[in-house]
Amino acid sequence: QVQLVESGGGLVQAGGSLRLSCAASGITFSINLMAWYRQAQGKQRELVASLTSGGSTNYADSVKGRFTISRDNAKNTWNLQMNSLKPEDTAVYYCYAATRNPYWGQGTQVTVSS
């Protein structure tokens, strides 16, 4: 059974940092793409950052220069380092993996206070 489990969310003041982690288990095929999405209250889910198996990254314009996605290959884990957080970064953050099928984590709340 495939599971993606996020950790690292929480409450932080504007300007602070958080590091999200996603641990994947039960995936027997290579992960072609791993990503982080977020969904703020009343808004659509949006891509925050993605990382391909080849090492290519993509970031939403709103987080470029502040967020960094990385992978720990040995542990099948990927992370999202979030710096200089803003209140508009407040959302539920979901990790995502694409193998032969797409998989989603359950989400972790990030709240940035002003």
Side-chain angles (χ1 to χ4, degrees):
Q1 182 179 358
V2 174
Q3 275 194 315
L4 302 184
V5 179
E6 299 105 335
S7 60
L11 173 65
V12 65
Q13 287 189 330
S17 298
L18 282 175
R19 183 178 178 87
L20 305 182
S21 293
C22 181
S25 62
I27 295 180
T28 56
F29 299 103
S30 296
I31 299 176
N32 300 316
L33 179 91
M34 56 212 74
W36 290 93
Y37 284 74
R38 68 186 180 187
Q39 187 166 18
Q41 196 167 8
K43 296 187 177 181
Q44 289 189 329
R45 190 171 298 189
E46 63 174 355
L47 176 68
V48 176
S50 65
L51 173 63
T52 69
S53 57
S56 298
T57 58
N58 183 46
Y59 295 93
D61 288 342
S62 60
V63 306
K64 281 180 182 176
R66 300 188 297 122
F67 291 12
T68 303
I69 188 170
S70 62
R71 179 178 185 178
D72 184 336
N73 287 323
K75 297 181 180 179
N76 227 18
T77 300
W78 55 102
N79 309 299
L80 185 68
Q81 178 66 42
M82 306 186 293
N83 299 327
S84 303
L85 283 161
K86 304 175 181 180
E88 50 264 42
D89 295 318
T90 295
V92 177
Y93 284 70
Y94 299 89
C95 66
Y96 170 87
T99 62
R100 289 190 177 185
N101 299 295
Y103 298 101
W104 292 92
Q106 81 286 355
T108 185
Q109 177 69 46
V110 171
T111 303
V112 184
S113 63
S114 57

